[in-house]
Structure formats: C-alpha cells, structure tokens
Amino acid sequence: MRKALLVINCVILAIGNCGGPLIARLYFIHGGNRIWFSSWLETAGCPIILLPIACAYMHRSRTADPTSENKFFYMERPLFLAAVVLGIITGLDNYLYAYGLSRLPVSIASLIIASQLAFTAVFAFLLVKQKFTAYSINAVFLLSIGAGVLALHSSSDRPANEPNREYILGFVMTLAAAVFYALIMPLVELTYKKAKQEISYALVMEIQLVMCLVATVVCTVGMLAKNDFSVIGREAREFELGETKYYVIVICSAIVWQGFFLGGIGLVFCGSSLLSGIMIAVLLPITEILAVIIFNEKFQAEKGFSLALSLWGFFSYFYGEVKQSKKKKPDPEIEMDSSLPPKTLESNV
C-alpha cells in the first residue's frame, strides 16, 4: 500500500511542481501584477482536500468495527497547533516565491528553487537525524551540480527591460523561498515523528488542509493590506488573454498548486523530507523544458545536460534505497529456525 502511495504522490507532486510555476508565470507575463493574490492562489484551493478526506471517512464507515468511533477529523490539538505554525511559515514562503516569480523567468526561478535540496539535506540532518548513504550523498551532489550547470547561461533568460534592482530583489526573494521550503519539509517530518497519535495518510491530508488554510489566511491579510480584492475585477478585464482566460488561469493555479503541497508532504510520509527534496530537484529540468516550449525561453545544451545529471541522481537515490531495503529484510531460513522450539534448535546444533 505504501509503495502505491509513493507512486501516486510522485505523480501528484510532478503535476504541481511543473504546472504551478508555469501557470503562475503565465499570470504575470500577460498583465497580472498582484503578488499577494498570486501567493494566495498557491494554497487557496485547499478545500478540494475535503473530497479525499470525505472518501477516507466513508471507507472507514464501511470497513471499521461498528463499535469503534469513526470521526471525520482525527487530528488532535498538539498536531493541529503544529500544522498552524507550519501554515504560517508556508504563507510567508508563498509570498517570497510569488514575488520572485513575478520578476524572474521560470527557468531562473526554478534554478534557484533547486538549491532547496542542499538546505533540505542540512535541515533534515539537524532536525530528524537523517542518515545518509553513499547513494543519497551522490544523488544530492549530482542534483546540485545539475542545478549549477543551468546557472552557466541563466543571464540569457533575463527579461528585457527588467530593472537591475528588481531583478536582484527577485533573485534574493526566490532564494529565501527555497530556504523556507527546505525548512518546512523536515519540520513536517519532525511533526510526524513527535506526534502522539498514529499518522495515517488520511491524517496527512488533514495536516495539509490546516497548513494551507492558515497560509491562505496569512496571504488574505496581505491582500487586504494591498487592496488586491478591489482590483481583481479590473485586472481580469484588462488581462491580455481575455477575462475568461484570466479566471481559468486563476482556478487552474489554485488546483494545481494543491498537487505540489500534498505530493510534497505525502512523500515525507511515504519516505522522508530528503526524498521530497530530491523529487522536487529532479523535476527542475522538466520544468525548464516545459518553459522553453510554452514561453519560448532559450534551450541551451546545458539544460539537456542538467536533465541527464538529475535523472542520474534520481536513479542513484532509489537504487540505494532498494539496496537498503533488501539488507533490512530478514533471512527466511533464520526466521524459520528462530520459530522452532529451543530444544529443536539445540538438536540442530
């Protein structure tokens, strides 16, 4: 079951990680300029999480013991408070990322976000005592080099007429977003480990819901301060692609970003925060290639080389995980012998 969840969350994360930045950039390059609104969209689609939570509730109703209590929400207060804190950090991270994406092309923003893997590795080691193998170290190294290769000609993707100050500020904000998100994933893993109740995938979805609700509240405060709500209608009418497409982009953005957040914390549940960071990093070149196709950003040989390095690092990590899992499996013959009575074991000796 956990392997199936692992695959499902990888797919969900891939959709959100590749689609979210592309849709957000589409909003900005065609006339959208509300940064708090863009950051709000990253988590405002969280009510759709109620659908799978409801499905899990109905499944429990059919299969659970009739004498046991079946609650719609299982989250207890300590876990709820932890999710609230994580939600506040997520809300701030949303703003930092949206600001950076408003100033930078997708290719450069994705490159900077890829640096989160190195930060995730450090925070995972400090917070959850993440154990590294030669394969996981090799994966982090290859993925980091892959991101570095993309930096060789990143200046050629710089938007025309972008003021130097705005460009640098966008770079700094995006880097800060990478650090914040690198901290969030190990904190989620630490929350799972310290929780005083059993963590199921249904509970993971509840944590996701609370985190995103709180992050949305944080961004709503920012929107109110900047009067974003009062100008959305005018911005939609003036949008270069038309008012209808404006709202389509807004709705799709809110839905796709949920895949990013649910896939991210779902991979922490199925594996670790390091696995989540590695998956995000390996999707970087794919996002780059999609940006080339959709936004006509330049495609240099470095982007193809980066993709090859990222895939190499990705498979290196999973090869190491498979080898580790095989080592942990008990020998069937030893297991059979240990089940025999003591006298029988002695007679065999």
Side-chain angles (χ1 to χ4, degrees):
M1 180 62 180
R2 183 158 292 219
K3 288 182 179 179
L5 282 175
L6 179 66
V7 173
I8 291 170
N9 279 280
C10 283
V11 173
I12 293 173
L13 179 60
I15 294 171
N17 192 73
C18 295
L22 295 172
I23 297 175
R25 185 60 183 167
L26 191 65
Y27 164 80
F28 284 118
I29 65 176
H30 288 291
N33 58 12
R34 313 308 297 184
I35 296 173
W36 275 112
F37 179 49
S38 180
S39 61
W40 183 84
L41 289 174
E42 292 178 34
T43 51
C46 59
I48 65 175
I49 299 295
L50 287 170
L51 181 59
I53 291 176
C55 292
Y57 171 78
M58 290 186 287
H59 176 73
R60 290 194 302 267
S61 299
R62 291 195 301 268
T63 59
D65 185 349
T67 59
S68 62
E69 183 183 8
N70 183 26
K71 298 183 292 184
F72 192 83
F73 292 110
Y74 274 92
M75 185 183 297
E76 296 176 359
R77 182 175 294 179
L79 200 55
F80 173 79
L81 293 176
V84 168
V85 173
L86 289 168
I88 294 172
I89 300 173
T90 300
L92 296 175
D93 183 61
N94 287 353
Y95 176 77
L96 293 170
Y97 181 71
Y99 189 97
L101 201 59
S102 70
R103 300 292 186 268
L104 305 175
V106 172
S107 56
I108 297 177
S110 298
L111 160 66
I112 300 168
I113 288 296
S115 65
Q116 60 83 27
L117 178 58
F119 294 117
T120 298
V122 172
F123 289 133
F125 176 76
L126 294 175
L127 295 175
V128 296
K129 310 302 179 187
Q130 172 73 47
K131 294 181 180 178
F132 291 89
T133 65
Y135 295 99
S136 60
I137 293 172
N138 184 53
V140 171
F141 175 76
L142 288 171
L143 288 162
S144 299
I145 291 296
V149 166
L150 289 177
L152 294 177
H153 289 281
S154 61
S155 59
S156 62
D157 287 331
R158 179 172 175 170
N161 303 319
E162 178 79 80
N164 193 55
R165 179 180 175 278
E166 294 293 332
Y167 186 81
I168 293 174
L169 188 56
F171 186 96
V172 172
M173 293 289 239
T174 308
L175 182 61
V179 175
F180 267 73
Y181 192 76
L183 176 63
I184 290 170
M185 288 298 100
L187 284 176
V188 169
E189 186 175 358
L190 183 65
T191 300
Y192 292 163
K193 290 180 180 295
K194 296 294 184 180
K196 296 180 180 178
Q197 59 182 119
E198 184 181 355
I199 302 295
S200 64
Y201 194 73
L203 196 53
V204 168
M205 291 189 289
E206 291 180 29
I207 295 171
Q208 160 76 2
L209 179 62
V210 173
M211 284 176 60
C212 287
L213 279 174
V214 173
T216 303
V217 170
V218 171
C219 295
T220 300
V221 172
M223 287 183 69
L224 290 170
K226 290 291 185 178
N227 296 318
D228 281 7
F229 287 106
S230 62
V231 299
I232 288 175
R234 187 185 71 220
E235 185 175 79
R237 290 189 297 273
E238 296 173 354
F239 196 62
E240 292 177 4
L241 299 179
E243 187 173 358
T244 301
K245 289 184 179 179
Y246 176 88
Y247 289 112
V248 170
I249 289 172
V250 164
I251 294 170
C252 288
S253 179
I255 294 173
V256 169
W257 275 119
Q258 282 306 297
F260 173 78
F261 286 105
L262 182 58
I265 70 169
L267 282 182
V268 176
F269 170 74
C270 298
S272 65
S273 54
L274 181 62
L275 171 60
S276 183
I278 284 175
M279 189 64 190
I280 291 170
V282 81
L283 290 168
L284 163 67
I286 298 174
T287 307
E288 289 268 352
I289 292 170
L290 290 173
V292 169
I293 296 170
I294 297 172
F295 300 127
N296 295 318
E297 294 182 6
K298 295 179 181 179
F299 184 85
Q300 299 94 358
E302 289 79 8
K303 292 183 179 180
F305 186 54
S306 174
L307 177 60
L309 286 176
S310 297
L311 291 174
W312 182 8
F314 178 72
F315 287 116
S316 172
Y317 176 82
F318 275 99
Y319 178 74
E321 288 298 300
V322 170
K323 287 196 70 172
Q324 285 292 108
S325 63
K326 286 182 178 179
K327 285 181 181 179
K328 291 178 182 178
K329 286 184 180 178
D331 190 331
E333 293 182 4
I334 295 174
E335 199 172 51
M336 182 180 66
D337 288 345
S338 63
S339 64
L340 295 173
K343 289 184 179 178
T344 308
L345 287 172
E346 289 175 7
S347 64
N348 288 340
V349 174

Coordinates of all heavy atoms in Angstrom, one line a residue, residues 16 19-28 31-49 90-99 101 208 211-224 228-229 232 235-236 239 245-262:
G16 N 2.1 19.3 -9.8 CA 2.1 20.5 -9.1 C 3.4 21.3 -9.2 O 3.4 22.5 -9.4
G19 N 3.5 22.3 -13.1 CA 2.4 23.1 -13.6 C 2.3 24.4 -12.8 O 2.0 25.4 -13.4
G20 N 2.5 24.4 -11.5 CA 2.3 25.6 -10.7 C 3.1 26.8 -11.1 O 2.6 27.8 -11.4
P21 N 4.5 26.6 -11.3 CA 5.3 27.8 -11.7 C 4.9 28.3 -13.1 O 4.9 29.5 -13.3 CB 6.7 27.3 -11.7 CG 6.7 26.1 -10.8 CD 5.3 25.5 -10.9
L22 N 4.5 27.4 -14.0 CA 4.2 27.7 -15.4 C 2.9 28.6 -15.4 O 2.8 29.6 -16.1 CB 4.1 26.5 -16.2 CG 5.4 25.7 -16.4 CD1 5.1 24.4 -17.2 CD2 6.4 26.5 -17.2
I23 N 1.9 28.1 -14.7 CA 0.7 28.9 -14.6 C 0.8 30.2 -13.9 O 0.3 31.2 -14.4 CB -0.4 28.0 -13.9 CG1 -0.7 26.8 -14.7 CG2 -1.7 28.8 -13.8 CD1 -1.7 25.8 -14.1
A24 N 1.6 30.2 -12.8 CA 1.8 31.5 -12.1 C 2.6 32.5 -13.0 O 2.3 33.7 -13.0 CB 2.7 31.2 -10.9
R25 N 3.6 32.0 -13.8 CA 4.3 32.9 -14.7 C 3.4 33.4 -15.8 O 3.5 34.5 -16.2 CB 5.5 32.1 -15.3 CG 6.4 33.0 -16.1 CD 7.0 34.2 -15.3 NE 7.8 35.0 -16.1 CZ 8.3 36.2 -15.8 NH1 7.9 36.7 -14.6 NH2 9.0 37.0 -16.6
L26 N 2.5 32.5 -16.3 CA 1.5 32.9 -17.3 C 0.7 34.1 -16.8 O 0.4 35.0 -17.6 CB 0.6 31.7 -17.6 CG -0.3 31.8 -18.9 CD1 0.6 31.9 -20.1 CD2 -1.2 30.6 -19.0
Y27 N 0.3 34.1 -15.6 CA -0.5 35.1 -15.0 C 0.3 36.5 -15.0 O -0.2 37.5 -15.4 CB -0.8 34.8 -13.5 CG -1.3 35.9 -12.7 CD1 -2.6 36.4 -12.7 CD2 -0.4 36.5 -11.8 CE1 -3.0 37.5 -12.0 CE2 -0.8 37.6 -11.0 CZ -2.1 38.1 -11.1 OH -2.5 39.1 -10.3
F28 N 1.6 36.4 -14.7 CA 2.4 37.6 -14.6 C 2.8 38.2 -15.9 O 2.8 39.4 -16.1 CB 3.7 37.4 -13.8 CG 3.5 37.3 -12.3 CD1 3.7 36.1 -11.6 CD2 3.0 38.4 -11.6 CE1 3.5 36.1 -10.2 CE2 2.8 38.3 -10.2 CZ 3.0 37.2 -9.5
G31 N -0.1 40.4 -17.8 CA -0.8 41.5 -17.3 C -1.1 41.4 -15.8 O -1.5 42.4 -15.2
G32 N -1.0 40.2 -15.2 CA -1.2 40.1 -13.7 C -0.1 40.7 -13.0 O 1.1 40.5 -13.3
N33 N -0.4 41.4 -11.9 CA 0.7 42.0 -11.1 C 0.5 42.0 -9.6 O 1.1 42.8 -8.9 CB 1.1 43.4 -11.6 CG -0.1 44.3 -11.5 OD1 -1.2 44.0 -10.9 ND2 0.0 45.5 -12.2
R34 N -0.5 41.3 -9.2 CA -0.8 41.2 -7.7 C -0.1 40.1 -7.1 O -0.4 38.9 -7.2 CB -2.3 41.1 -7.5 CG -3.2 42.0 -8.3 CD -2.8 43.5 -8.3 NE -2.9 44.0 -6.9 CZ -2.7 45.3 -6.6 NH1 -2.3 46.1 -7.6 NH2 -2.8 45.7 -5.4
I35 N 1.0 40.4 -6.4 CA 1.9 39.4 -5.8 C 1.2 38.6 -4.6 O 1.2 37.4 -4.6 CB 3.2 40.0 -5.3 CG1 3.9 40.6 -6.5 CG2 4.1 39.0 -4.6 CD1 5.2 41.4 -6.2
W36 N 0.5 39.4 -3.8 CA -0.2 38.7 -2.7 C -1.3 37.8 -3.2 O -1.6 36.7 -2.7 CB -0.8 39.7 -1.7 CG 0.2 40.2 -0.6 CD1 0.7 41.4 -0.5 CD2 0.7 39.4 0.4 NE1 1.6 41.5 0.6 CE2 1.6 40.2 1.2 CE3 0.6 38.1 0.8 CZ2 2.3 39.8 2.3 CZ3 1.3 37.6 1.9 CH2 2.1 38.4 2.6
F37 N -2.0 38.2 -4.3 CA -3.0 37.4 -4.9 C -2.4 36.1 -5.4 O -3.0 35.0 -5.3 CB -3.8 38.2 -6.0 CG -4.8 37.4 -6.7 CD1 -5.8 36.7 -5.9 CD2 -4.9 37.4 -8.0 CE1 -6.8 36.0 -6.6 CE2 -5.9 36.7 -8.7 CZ -6.9 36.0 -8.0
S38 N -1.3 36.2 -6.1 CA -0.6 35.1 -6.7 C -0.2 34.1 -5.6 O -0.3 32.9 -5.7 CB 0.6 35.5 -7.5 OG 1.2 34.4 -8.0
S39 N 0.3 34.7 -4.5 CA 0.7 33.8 -3.3 C -0.5 33.2 -2.7 O -0.5 32.0 -2.2 CB 1.5 34.6 -2.3 OG 0.8 35.7 -1.8
W40 N -1.6 33.9 -2.6 CA -2.9 33.4 -2.1 C -3.4 32.2 -2.9 O -3.9 31.2 -2.3 CB -3.9 34.5 -2.1 CG -5.2 34.2 -1.5 CD1 -5.6 34.3 -0.2 CD2 -6.4 33.9 -2.2 NE1 -6.9 34.0 -0.1 CE2 -7.5 33.7 -1.3 CE3 -6.7 33.7 -3.6 CZ2 -8.8 33.4 -1.6 CZ3 -8.0 33.3 -3.9 CH2 -9.0 33.2 -3.0
L41 N -3.2 32.2 -4.2 CA -3.7 31.2 -5.1 C -2.9 29.9 -4.8 O -3.4 28.8 -5.1 CB -3.5 31.6 -6.5 CG -4.5 32.6 -7.1 CD1 -4.1 33.0 -8.5 CD2 -5.9 32.1 -7.0
E42 N -1.7 29.9 -4.3 CA -0.9 28.8 -4.1 C -1.5 27.8 -3.0 O -1.2 26.6 -3.0 CB 0.5 29.2 -3.6 CG 1.3 29.8 -4.7 CD 2.7 30.3 -4.3 OE1 3.3 29.5 -3.5 OE2 3.2 31.3 -4.8
T43 N -2.3 28.3 -2.1 CA -3.0 27.5 -1.1 C -4.5 27.6 -1.0 O -5.1 26.9 -0.3 CB -2.4 27.8 0.3 OG1 -2.4 29.2 0.5 CG2 -0.9 27.4 0.4
A44 N -5.1 28.6 -1.8 CA -6.5 28.8 -1.7 C -7.3 27.7 -2.2 O -8.5 27.6 -1.9 CB -6.9 30.1 -2.4
G45 N -6.8 26.7 -3.0 CA -7.5 25.6 -3.5 C -7.6 24.5 -2.5 O -8.1 23.4 -2.8
C46 N -7.2 24.7 -1.2 CA -7.2 23.6 -0.2 C -8.6 23.0 0.1 O -8.6 21.8 0.5 CB -6.6 24.1 1.1 SG -7.4 25.5 1.8
P47 N -9.7 23.7 -0.1 CA -11.0 23.0 0.2 C -11.2 21.7 -0.7 O -11.9 20.8 -0.3 CB -12.0 24.0 -0.2 CG -11.4 25.3 0.1 CD -9.9 25.1 -0.3
I48 N -10.5 21.5 -1.8 CA -10.6 20.3 -2.6 C -10.1 19.1 -1.8 O -10.4 18.0 -2.1 CB -9.9 20.4 -4.0 CG1 -8.4 20.6 -3.8 CG2 -10.5 21.6 -4.8 CD1 -7.7 20.6 -5.2
I49 N -9.2 19.4 -0.8 CA -8.7 18.2 0.0 C -9.8 17.6 0.8 O -9.7 16.4 1.2 CB -7.6 18.8 0.9 CG1 -6.4 19.4 0.1 CG2 -7.0 17.7 1.8 CD1 -5.7 18.3 -0.7
T90 N 4.4 28.6 5.7 CA 4.1 28.3 4.3 C 3.5 29.6 3.7 O 3.8 29.9 2.5 CB 3.1 27.2 4.2 OG1 3.6 26.0 4.8 CG2 2.7 26.9 2.8
G91 N 2.7 30.3 4.4 CA 2.1 31.6 3.9 C 3.2 32.6 3.5 O 3.2 33.2 2.5
L92 N 4.2 32.7 4.4 CA 5.3 33.6 4.2 C 6.2 33.1 3.0 O 6.6 33.9 2.1 CB 6.2 33.8 5.4 CG 5.5 34.4 6.6 CD1 6.5 34.3 7.8 CD2 5.1 35.8 6.4
D93 N 6.4 31.8 2.9 CA 7.1 31.3 1.8 C 6.4 31.5 0.5 O 7.0 31.8 -0.6 CB 7.3 29.8 2.0 CG 8.1 29.1 1.0 OD1 9.3 29.5 0.8 OD2 7.6 28.2 0.3
N94 N 5.1 31.4 0.5 CA 4.3 31.6 -0.7 C 4.5 33.0 -1.3 O 4.7 33.2 -2.5 CB 2.8 31.5 -0.4 CG 2.4 30.1 -0.2 OD1 3.1 29.1 -0.4 ND2 1.1 29.9 0.2
Y95 N 4.6 34.0 -0.4 CA 4.8 35.4 -0.8 C 6.2 35.6 -1.4 O 6.3 36.2 -2.5 CB 4.6 36.4 0.3 CG 4.9 37.8 0.0 CD1 4.0 38.6 -0.8 CD2 6.1 38.4 0.3 CE1 4.3 39.9 -1.2 CE2 6.4 39.7 -0.1 CZ 5.5 40.4 -0.8 OH 5.8 41.7 -1.2
L96 N 7.2 35.0 -0.7 CA 8.5 35.1 -1.2 C 8.7 34.5 -2.6 O 9.3 35.1 -3.5 CB 9.5 34.4 -0.3 CG 9.7 35.1 1.1 CD1 10.5 34.1 2.0 CD2 10.4 36.4 1.0
Y97 N 8.1 33.4 -2.8 CA 8.2 32.7 -4.1 C 7.4 33.5 -5.2 O 7.9 33.6 -6.3 CB 7.6 31.3 -4.0 CG 7.7 30.5 -5.3 CD1 8.9 30.1 -5.8 CD2 6.6 30.2 -6.0 CE1 9.0 29.4 -7.0 CE2 6.6 29.5 -7.2 CZ 7.9 29.1 -7.7 OH 8.0 28.4 -8.9
A98 N 6.2 33.9 -4.9 CA 5.4 34.7 -5.8 C 6.1 36.0 -6.2 O 6.1 36.3 -7.4 CB 4.0 35.0 -5.2
Y99 N 6.7 36.6 -5.3 CA 7.5 37.8 -5.6 C 8.6 37.5 -6.6 O 8.8 38.2 -7.6 CB 8.0 38.5 -4.4 CG 8.6 39.9 -4.6 CD1 7.9 41.0 -4.4 CD2 9.9 40.0 -5.1 CE1 8.4 42.3 -4.6 CE2 10.4 41.3 -5.4 CZ 9.7 42.4 -5.1 OH 10.2 43.7 -5.4
L101 N 8.9 35.0 -8.6 CA 8.4 34.5 -9.9 C 7.9 35.7 -10.7 O 7.8 35.7 -12.0 CB 7.3 33.5 -9.7 CG 7.1 32.6 -10.9 CD1 8.3 31.8 -11.4 CD2 6.0 31.6 -10.6
Q208 N -2.3 18.7 5.8 CA -2.3 19.6 4.6 C -3.4 20.6 4.5 O -3.1 21.8 4.2 CB -2.4 18.7 3.3 CG -2.8 19.3 2.0 CD -1.6 20.1 1.4 OE1 -0.5 20.1 1.9 NE2 -1.9 20.8 0.3
M211 N -2.6 23.4 7.2 CA -1.5 24.2 6.8 C -1.9 25.2 5.7 O -1.6 26.4 5.8 CB -0.4 23.3 6.2 CG 0.5 22.6 7.3 SD 1.7 21.4 6.5 CE 2.7 22.6 5.6
C212 N -2.6 24.7 4.7 CA -3.0 25.6 3.6 C -4.0 26.6 4.0 O -4.0 27.7 3.5 CB -3.5 24.7 2.4 SG -2.1 23.8 1.6
L213 N -5.0 26.2 4.9 CA -6.0 27.2 5.3 C -5.3 28.3 6.1 O -5.6 29.5 5.8 CB -7.0 26.5 6.3 CG -8.1 25.7 5.6 CD1 -8.9 25.0 6.6 CD2 -9.0 26.7 4.8
V214 N -4.3 28.0 6.9 CA -3.6 29.0 7.7 C -2.8 29.9 6.7 O -2.8 31.1 6.9 CB -2.7 28.4 8.8 CG1 -1.9 29.5 9.5 CG2 -3.6 27.7 9.8
A215 N -2.1 29.2 5.8 CA -1.3 30.0 4.8 C -2.2 30.9 4.0 O -1.8 32.1 3.7 CB -0.5 29.0 3.9
T216 N -3.4 30.5 3.7 CA -4.3 31.3 2.9 C -4.8 32.5 3.7 O -4.9 33.6 3.2 CB -5.5 30.5 2.5 OG1 -5.1 29.3 1.7 CG2 -6.5 31.3 1.6
V217 N -5.0 32.3 5.0 CA -5.3 33.4 5.9 C -4.2 34.5 5.9 O -4.5 35.7 5.9 CB -5.7 32.9 7.3 CG1 -5.8 34.1 8.3 CG2 -6.9 32.1 7.3
V218 N -3.0 34.0 6.0 CA -1.8 34.9 6.1 C -1.8 35.7 4.8 O -1.6 37.0 4.8 CB -0.5 34.1 6.2 CG1 0.7 35.0 6.0 CG2 -0.4 33.4 7.6
C219 N -2.0 35.1 3.6 CA -2.0 35.8 2.3 C -3.2 36.7 2.2 O -3.1 37.7 1.5 CB -1.9 34.8 1.2 SG -0.4 33.8 1.2
T220 N -4.3 36.3 2.8 CA -5.5 37.1 2.7 C -5.3 38.4 3.5 O -5.7 39.5 3.0 CB -6.7 36.4 3.4 OG1 -7.0 35.2 2.7 CG2 -8.0 37.3 3.3
V221 N -4.6 38.4 4.6 CA -4.2 39.6 5.3 C -3.4 40.5 4.4 O -3.6 41.7 4.4 CB -3.5 39.3 6.6 CG1 -3.0 40.5 7.3 CG2 -4.4 38.5 7.6
G222 N -2.4 39.9 3.7 CA -1.6 40.7 2.8 C -2.4 41.3 1.7 O -2.2 42.4 1.3
M223 N -3.4 40.5 1.1 CA -4.3 41.0 0.1 C -5.1 42.2 0.5 O -5.3 43.2 -0.2 CB -5.2 39.9 -0.5 CG -4.5 38.9 -1.3 SD -5.6 37.6 -1.9 CE -6.5 38.6 -3.1
L224 N -5.6 42.1 1.8 CA -6.4 43.2 2.3 C -5.5 44.5 2.5 O -6.0 45.6 2.2 CB -7.0 42.8 3.7 CG -8.1 41.7 3.6 CD1 -8.4 41.2 5.0 CD2 -9.4 42.3 2.9
D228 N -6.0 44.1 -2.8 CA -6.0 43.3 -4.0 C -7.4 42.9 -4.4 O -7.7 42.8 -5.6 CB -5.2 42.0 -3.7 CG -3.7 42.2 -3.9 OD1 -3.3 43.4 -4.1 OD2 -2.9 41.3 -3.9
F229 N -8.3 42.7 -3.4 CA -9.6 42.2 -3.7 C -10.4 43.2 -4.6 O -11.2 42.9 -5.4 CB -10.4 41.9 -2.4 CG -10.0 40.7 -1.7 CD1 -9.2 40.7 -0.6 CD2 -10.3 39.4 -2.2 CE1 -8.8 39.6 0.1 CE2 -9.9 38.3 -1.6 CZ -9.1 38.3 -0.4
I232 N -9.2 43.0 -8.5 CA -9.1 41.8 -9.3 C -10.0 41.9 -10.5 O -9.7 41.4 -11.6 CB -9.5 40.6 -8.4 CG1 -8.4 40.3 -7.4 CG2 -9.8 39.3 -9.2 CD1 -8.7 39.2 -6.4
E235 N -8.4 44.0 -13.1 CA -7.2 43.3 -13.7 C -7.7 42.2 -14.7 O -7.1 42.0 -15.7 CB -6.4 42.6 -12.6 CG -5.1 42.0 -13.0 CD -4.3 41.4 -11.9 OE1 -4.6 40.4 -11.3 OE2 -3.3 42.1 -11.5
A236 N -8.8 41.5 -14.3 CA -9.3 40.5 -15.2 C -9.8 41.1 -16.6 O -9.6 40.5 -17.6 CB -10.5 39.8 -14.5
F239 N -6.8 41.9 -18.7 CA -5.8 40.8 -18.9 C -5.6 40.6 -20.4 O -6.6 40.6 -21.2 CB -6.3 39.6 -18.2 CG -5.3 38.5 -18.1 CD1 -4.2 38.7 -17.3 CD2 -5.5 37.2 -18.7 CE1 -3.2 37.7 -17.1 CE2 -4.5 36.2 -18.5 CZ -3.4 36.5 -17.7
K245 N -10.2 33.8 -19.8 CA -8.9 33.0 -19.6 C -8.2 33.4 -18.3 O -7.5 32.6 -17.7 CB -8.0 33.2 -20.8 CG -8.5 32.5 -22.0 CD -7.5 32.6 -23.2 CE -8.0 31.8 -24.4 NZ -7.1 32.0 -25.5
Y246 N -8.5 34.7 -17.9 CA -7.9 35.1 -16.6 C -8.4 34.2 -15.5 O -7.6 33.7 -14.6 CB -8.3 36.6 -16.4 CG -7.8 37.1 -15.0 CD1 -6.6 37.7 -14.9 CD2 -8.7 37.1 -13.9 CE1 -6.2 38.2 -13.6 CE2 -8.3 37.6 -12.7 CZ -7.0 38.2 -12.6 OH -6.6 38.7 -11.3
Y247 N -9.7 34.0 -15.4 CA -10.3 33.3 -14.3 C -10.0 31.8 -14.5 O -9.9 31.1 -13.5 CB -11.8 33.5 -14.3 CG -12.2 34.9 -13.8 CD1 -12.8 35.8 -14.6 CD2 -11.9 35.2 -12.5 CE1 -13.1 37.1 -14.1 CE2 -12.2 36.5 -12.0 CZ -12.8 37.4 -12.8 OH -13.1 38.7 -12.4
V248 N -9.8 31.3 -15.7 CA -9.4 29.9 -15.9 C -8.0 29.7 -15.3 O -7.8 28.7 -14.7 CB -9.5 29.5 -17.4 CG1 -8.8 28.2 -17.6 CG2 -10.9 29.5 -17.9
I249 N -7.1 30.6 -15.6 CA -5.8 30.6 -15.1 C -5.8 30.6 -13.6 O -5.1 29.8 -12.9 CB -4.9 31.7 -15.7 CG1 -4.6 31.5 -17.1 CG2 -3.6 31.9 -14.9 CD1 -4.0 32.6 -17.8
V250 N -6.6 31.5 -13.0 CA -6.7 31.6 -11.5 C -7.2 30.3 -10.9 O -6.6 29.8 -9.9 CB -7.6 32.8 -11.2 CG1 -8.1 32.7 -9.7 CG2 -7.0 34.1 -11.4
I251 N -8.2 29.7 -11.5 CA -8.8 28.5 -10.9 C -7.8 27.3 -11.1 O -7.6 26.5 -10.1 CB -10.1 28.1 -11.6 CG1 -11.2 29.2 -11.2 CG2 -10.6 26.7 -11.2 CD1 -12.4 29.1 -12.0
C252 N -7.2 27.2 -12.3 CA -6.2 26.1 -12.5 C -5.0 26.2 -11.6 O -4.5 25.2 -11.1 CB -5.8 26.1 -14.0 SG -7.1 25.6 -15.1
S253 N -4.6 27.5 -11.4 CA -3.4 27.7 -10.5 C -3.7 27.2 -9.1 O -2.9 26.5 -8.5 CB -3.1 29.2 -10.4 OG -2.0 29.4 -9.6
A254 N -4.9 27.5 -8.6 CA -5.3 27.1 -7.2 C -5.3 25.6 -7.1 O -4.9 25.0 -6.1 CB -6.6 27.7 -6.8
I255 N -5.8 24.9 -8.1 CA -6.0 23.5 -8.1 C -4.6 22.8 -8.2 O -4.3 21.9 -7.4 CB -6.9 23.0 -9.2 CG1 -8.3 23.5 -8.9 CG2 -6.9 21.4 -9.3 CD1 -9.3 23.2 -10.0
V256 N -3.8 23.2 -9.2 CA -2.5 22.6 -9.5 C -1.6 22.7 -8.3 O -0.8 21.8 -8.0 CB -1.9 23.2 -10.8 CG1 -0.5 22.7 -10.9 CG2 -2.7 22.7 -12.0
W257 N -1.5 23.9 -7.7 CA -0.6 24.1 -6.5 C -0.9 23.1 -5.4 O 0.0 22.8 -4.6 CB -0.7 25.5 -6.0 CG 0.2 26.5 -6.7 CD1 -0.2 27.6 -7.5 CD2 1.6 26.4 -6.9 NE1 0.9 28.2 -8.0 CE2 2.0 27.5 -7.6 CE3 2.6 25.6 -6.4 CZ2 3.4 27.8 -7.9 CZ3 3.9 25.8 -6.7 CH2 4.3 26.9 -7.4
Q258 N -2.2 22.7 -5.2 CA -2.5 21.7 -4.2 C -1.8 20.4 -4.4 O -1.4 19.7 -3.5 CB -4.0 21.5 -4.1 CG -4.8 22.6 -3.4 CD -4.3 22.9 -2.0 OE1 -4.3 22.0 -1.2 NE2 -3.8 24.1 -1.8
G259 N -1.6 20.1 -5.7 CA -0.8 18.9 -6.0 C 0.6 19.0 -5.5 O 1.2 18.0 -5.0
F260 N 1.2 20.2 -5.6 CA 2.6 20.4 -5.1 C 2.7 20.2 -3.6 O 3.5 19.4 -3.1 CB 3.0 21.8 -5.5 CG 4.4 22.2 -4.9 CD1 5.5 21.7 -5.4 CD2 4.4 23.0 -3.8 CE1 6.8 22.0 -4.9 CE2 5.6 23.3 -3.2 CZ 6.8 22.8 -3.8
F261 N 1.7 20.8 -2.9 CA 1.8 20.7 -1.4 C 1.5 19.3 -0.9 O 2.1 18.7 0.0 CB 0.9 21.7 -0.8 CG 1.4 23.1 -0.9 CD1 0.9 24.0 -1.8 CD2 2.5 23.6 -0.1 CE1 1.4 25.3 -1.9 CE2 3.0 24.8 -0.2 CZ 2.5 25.7 -1.1
L262 N 0.4 18.7 -1.4 CA 0.0 17.4 -1.0 C 1.0 16.3 -1.4 O 1.4 15.5 -0.6 CB -1.4 17.0 -1.6 CG -1.9 15.6 -1.1 CD1 -2.0 15.6 0.4 CD2 -3.3 15.4 -1.7

